[in-house]
Amino acid sequence: MPFFSNLGSDSPHFGAALSACAPLCERSLWGLDPQAVFLNHGSYGATPKKVLQAQSVWRERLEAQPVQFMGEELPRALRAAAAELAHFVGAEPENLVFVENATSGVNAVLRSLRFRPEDQIACTNHGYGAVRQALQYICAQWGAIPVEAQIPFPIAGPEQVIAAFEAILTPQTRLAVLDHLTSPTALIYPLPELIGLCRERGIPVLVDGAHAPGVLPLELEKLGADWYTGNAHKWLFAPKGCAFLWVAPYRQAQTHPTVISHGYGQGFTAEFDWVGTRDPSAWLAISAALAFIQGVGLDNIRQHNHTLLLQARQLLLEALEGIPPAPEEMLGFMATLPLPPFWQQWIPELPLGERARRLHDYLWYKYRIEVPIIPFAGQLWVRISAQVYNRLAEYEQLALALQHLP
Ligand SMILES: Cc1ncc(COP(=O)(O)O)c(C=O)c1O
């Protein structure tokens, strides 16, 4: 079922929603460069000043008496912060731990598992680069084989994801690694259906939900996954280094942090809550991030971002004479769009990745527009994000900048 079904561009409310698409928040609430057009919330998020101030208060408390803080205050404060985040993502607090980022969450799981030679790990070709590398590493260690489902892009609908993924599952599949919202193509995968396919076959599922918290409603205890990792520093406005790993109770005994420390053997949360001396302020500031969201209103944010995204996508597709590469029902707050043929043929003697980097840099240095250019499936794409501080005029600037070669 589409997550934003009442907001599609064919909805009678779309026009009204569009005209109301002024920024929902003053951009000055963020430290973003006022001269820049920032259309890339997706890569690293952007943290409101208020949340950073709350993080600083935690740091000051730590530094006032580090020994007391780490030994006495932190264990309780960390569990309280985990409980708040757990509530937001539909999880039991004792099943959720903080990690520094989704990459760490994925690595903790992959490096906890044991495989035999020829075991297969199912994943898809839209997976995030770092996660695909971690899979390569694990497979090289054990002699296992990563098997990538080839999900088409452009894509007609979620059923194409389901069909392509089902086709690669075999009796040798020992694990599935699935995105919730893909990075290069910004697609919402039909996760419940994909997990269903795995459960029917007894295949454990690790979900890379790096982009999902804040974009999609989450009910982790009901989803049916075995592990789920997500970032709070992207769409939940938390400081960098705030992410979580949820683990189903029956998987906790076999799941360990990548760094083993004092908590080893003392249970799941004890192992992850202390991984050596570090700055825990980003994790503790989750409360301030969730309060910021509550202040603006989660529904307001979701409505604003998704509507602005669809409007911006339409504007860019018209300006660049492109065809929508995905149905609206597969989009959240980001969309990946094809660049016109003249960009595809620009400096053809260079590798695609290098051309993507040069176009990104051109947009930044000439126009002060930050937007990722994605080399994917042999083509160049542009991935736009929509956030509460963005306005439609910024996407118009991007469209103008992309209408001709340098
Ligand atoms: C799907 C996906 N997985 C994992 C990551 C990695 O996130 P992090 O750098 O916070 O570990 C990203 C980052 O954009 C992503 O898009």
Side-chain angles (χ1 to χ4, degrees):
M1 199 184 57
F3 288 100
F4 304 97
S5 52
N6 56 336
L7 298 172
S9 58
D10 55 355
S11 141
H13 307 297
F14 189 65
L18 292 190
S19 54
C21 237
L24 196 56
C25 292
E26 285 296 322
R27 189 170 147 145
S28 57
L29 299 181
W30 283 260
L32 290 165
D33 176 355
Q35 308 303 323
V37 172
F38 192 71
L39 303 179
N40 187 9
H41 192 89
S43 282
Y44 305 108
T47 311
K49 290 175 190 168
K50 217 171 165 181
V51 178
L52 294 174
Q53 280 156 11
Q55 181 183 23
S56 295
V57 171
W58 279 111
R59 281 211 184 98
E60 281 159 23
R61 270 163 83 164
L62 189 166
E63 293 302 337
Q65 218 300 25
V67 178
Q68 183 71 17
F69 186 91
M70 292 296 200
E72 297 291 326
E73 199 172 343
L74 180 60
R76 277 193 303 272
L78 205 52
R79 280 292 100 213
E84 263 196 80
L85 181 55
H87 179 71
F88 186 86
V89 297
E92 294 299 331
E94 64 274 17
N95 297 339
L96 182 140
V97 288
F98 284 107
V99 289
E100 286 189 315
N101 45 55
T103 310
S104 306
V106 165
N107 270 274
V109 175
L110 292 180
R111 298 177 78 170
S112 292
L113 299 179
R114 307 178 75 81
F115 296 94
R116 282 176 308 206
E118 309 302 317
D119 280 352
Q120 296 177 2
I121 304 182
C123 53
T124 81
N125 59 328
H126 296 221
Y128 184 67
V131 172
R132 294 167 88 188
Q133 294 286 61
L135 277 171
Q136 289 293 341
Y137 175 80
I138 288 301
C139 286
Q141 298 278 304
W142 295 98
I145 306 163
V147 183
E148 271 187 4
Q150 297 301 309
I151 312 291
F153 194 72
I155 188 165
E159 56 291 342
Q160 287 190 291
V161 182
I162 298 170
F165 183 69
E166 186 168 18
I168 62 153
L169 300 178
T170 75
Q172 283 70 49
T173 311
R174 295 282 169 265
L175 174 72
V177 181
L178 287 168
D179 292 279
H180 202 168
L181 236 164
T182 63
S183 172
T185 47
L187 297 176
I188 301 171
Y189 271 179
L191 200 54
E193 288 84 351
L194 300 176
I195 291 175
L197 292 174
C198 293
R199 295 213 81 85
E200 283 164 15
R201 294 164 175 78
I203 301 167
V205 181
L206 162 60
V207 180
D208 174 359
H211 279 282
V215 178
L216 301 175
L218 295 178
E219 285 288 347
L220 295 188
E221 299 295 339
K222 296 186 189 149
L223 188 60
D226 295 70
W227 302 270
Y228 189 110
T229 188
N231 280 330
H233 53 226
K234 287 189 190 287
W235 299 96
L236 283 188
F237 296 122
K240 312 288 174 275
C242 185
F244 69 87
L245 174 65
W246 172 90
V247 182
Y250 56 90
R251 294 286 178 201
Q252 291 176 4
Q254 73 184 118
T255 308
H256 305 282
T258 311
V259 173
I260 299 297
S261 186
H262 294 299
Y264 179 62
Q266 291 174 36
F268 169 63
T269 55
E271 284 194 33
F272 278 86
D273 282 0
W274 186 266
V275 288
T277 307
R278 67 178 302 284
D279 178 354
S281 59
W283 296 344
L284 299 171
I286 188 67
S287 184
L290 294 176
F292 181 87
I293 288 176
Q294 205 183 5
V296 184
L298 181 60
D299 288 345
N300 296 338
I301 295 173
R302 295 183 72 227
Q303 165 137 355
H304 173 275
N305 291 358
H306 186 65
T307 310
L308 177 61
L309 190 269
L310 295 186
Q311 186 181 27
R313 178 174 102 136
Q314 202 164 301
L315 181 157
L316 278 154
L317 285 172
E318 276 168 25
L320 304 176
E321 297 177 10
I323 294 165
E328 287 176 2
E329 64 176 301
M330 295 188 81
L331 303 177
F333 303 168
M334 298 192 298
T336 295
L337 306 174
L339 286 170
F342 60 84
W343 282 115
Q344 307 297 347
Q345 284 139 25
W346 182 55
I347 41 178
E349 64 280 11
L350 294 181
L352 197 63
E354 177 59 18
R355 281 148 58 199
R357 195 185 64 75
R358 291 203 186 187
L359 175 50
H360 166 271
D361 291 356
Y362 163 72
L363 291 171
W364 174 246
Y365 290 107
K366 180 151 171 72
Y367 296 102
R368 280 285 179 259
I369 296 173
E370 173 55 51
V371 72
I373 304 297
I374 313 251
F376 186 80
Q379 283 190 57
L380 292 178
W381 309 78
V382 58
R383 189 189 74 187
I384 51 168
S385 290
Q387 189 47 288
V388 290
Y389 49 74
N390 288 125
R391 60 193 192 290
L392 197 60
E394 293 176 300
Y395 305 91
E396 281 165 0
Q397 281 177 259
L398 174 63
L400 281 174
L402 283 173
Q403 265 169 342
H404 51 82
L405 292 171

